[in-house]
Amino acid sequence: MKLCDGIYSYVWKGIFENNCNMFYFGEPLNILFDPGLKNYVDVRLEDLAKDGVKADDIKYVVNTHCHPDHFEGSEYFMKKNVPVGMHPDEIEFLNTEGPRFFAMFGMPFPKLTFGLTLETGPWKVNGTELEIFHTPGHSPGSISIYWKEKKALVCGDLIFRESVGRVDFPGGSGELLKESIRKMSKLDIEYLLPGHMDIVAGADKVKKNFELIERYYFSMM
């Protein structure tokens, strides 16, 4: 679904589609975020095609973190020589804990070739600047990606609509999650694009969502 000019949103609707939300930033960026599980990449590509985005249009794949439900489908793009990126802390975590983590879900560990490492700070793509934020808590190298021009934040499993990412997986930290949420709450956000549940659209609604999370969830972490 085209959310606004340049931003496409594919919210998870059930187990026969995928297990996370996927987003796409169109021209001039052509970035796919969190392709999900490899068995459903074809479904997601069909969704993109319905919105006029061809598979060959995808120039970069960005993973907010390495949990299988978000990341496993990246192998498809690696085989197509599409640069796949993640934060270096998350790549290190994947290389050390990944095989055990995937085994927890009965999944084989994928063959990996990263074409990008996404460090904290500005990332200029074809003349357009994004901002990469290191937002650990759900996992050690989780990132959030901010498109200031659109006031859009892809935040993975940092924060959801009226909920937050779990911190009981390996590498999780409630304290770090709270710090990361507070940091992101200071941004001017019109579109909060989380890894699960519905998007939050409208600056007032986004602000209220951050306030709700701090009021009702922070004491439990």
Side-chain angles (χ1 to χ4, degrees):
M1 178 187 78
K2 188 172 183 179
L3 185 62
C4 67
D5 187 35
I7 299 179
Y8 299 80
S9 169
Y10 302 93
V11 173
W12 176 51
K13 298 176 181 177
I15 60 173
F16 297 109
E17 289 193 12
N18 215 319
N19 197 29
C20 75
N21 296 339
M22 184 184 78
F23 302 101
Y24 181 74
F25 287 175
E27 296 286 351
L29 296 166
N30 303 107
I31 301 172
L32 185 72
F33 296 92
D34 288 352
L37 297 168
K38 67 180 182 181
N39 287 344
Y40 300 99
V41 168
D42 58 342
V43 176
R44 287 304 175 88
L45 291 178
E46 289 173 4
D47 289 339
L48 283 163
K50 291 174 184 176
D51 288 326
V53 179
K54 300 176 183 177
D56 290 344
D57 293 336
I58 300 168
K59 304 305 180 187
Y60 304 96
V61 172
V62 168
N63 292 281
T64 58
H65 60 294
C66 72
H67 291 171
D69 57 333
H70 290 252
F71 170 77
E72 190 199 24
S74 296
E75 186 180 12
Y76 170 90
F77 296 96
M78 290 175 177
K79 290 178 179 178
K80 299 286 187 180
N81 295 316
V82 176
V84 174
M86 204 156 59
H87 191 277
D89 289 358
E90 194 72 357
I91 293 174
E92 181 181 358
F93 176 70
L94 178 68
N95 288 334
T96 55
E97 295 292 331
R100 183 168 68 92
F101 199 86
F102 272 69
M104 286 171 55
F105 296 94
M107 302 168 68
F109 191 63
K111 296 180 180 179
L112 307 170
T113 305
F114 287 96
L116 295 170
T117 53
L118 299 169
E119 301 277 2
T120 300
W123 179 31
K124 187 165 284 188
V125 181
N126 294 328
T128 297
E129 187 172 282
L130 303 176
E131 186 80 13
I132 306 294
F133 292 95
H134 182 210
T135 49
H138 182 63
S139 68
S142 285
I143 58 172
S144 297
I145 304 92
Y146 183 55
W147 190 355
K148 186 177 181 179
E149 180 185 350
K150 303 292 184 180
K151 300 182 180 181
L153 183 73
V154 178
C155 59
D157 286 2
L158 173 70
I159 183 172
F160 309 130
R161 181 178 181 179
E162 300 182 0
S163 189
V164 297
R166 58 191 298 175
V167 296
D168 57 337
F169 282 147
S173 166
E175 288 304 314
L176 288 178
L177 192 78
K178 287 189 284 187
E179 289 179 18
S180 296
I181 290 172
R182 287 192 180 105
K183 181 167 60 177
M184 294 299 94
S185 71
K186 297 175 182 178
L187 296 174
D188 183 9
I189 302 170
E190 184 72 23
Y191 300 104
L192 184 68
L193 309 176
H196 300 279
M197 304 182 188
D198 290 334
I199 65 171
V200 183
D204 289 344
K205 292 181 179 179
V206 171
K207 182 180 179 181
K208 288 178 181 178
N209 194 67
F210 275 110
E211 292 172 349
L212 180 150
I213 294 305
E214 184 161 359
R215 184 179 304 119
Y216 294 107
Y217 280 88
F218 276 22
S219 62
M220 298 186 288
M221 290 189 282

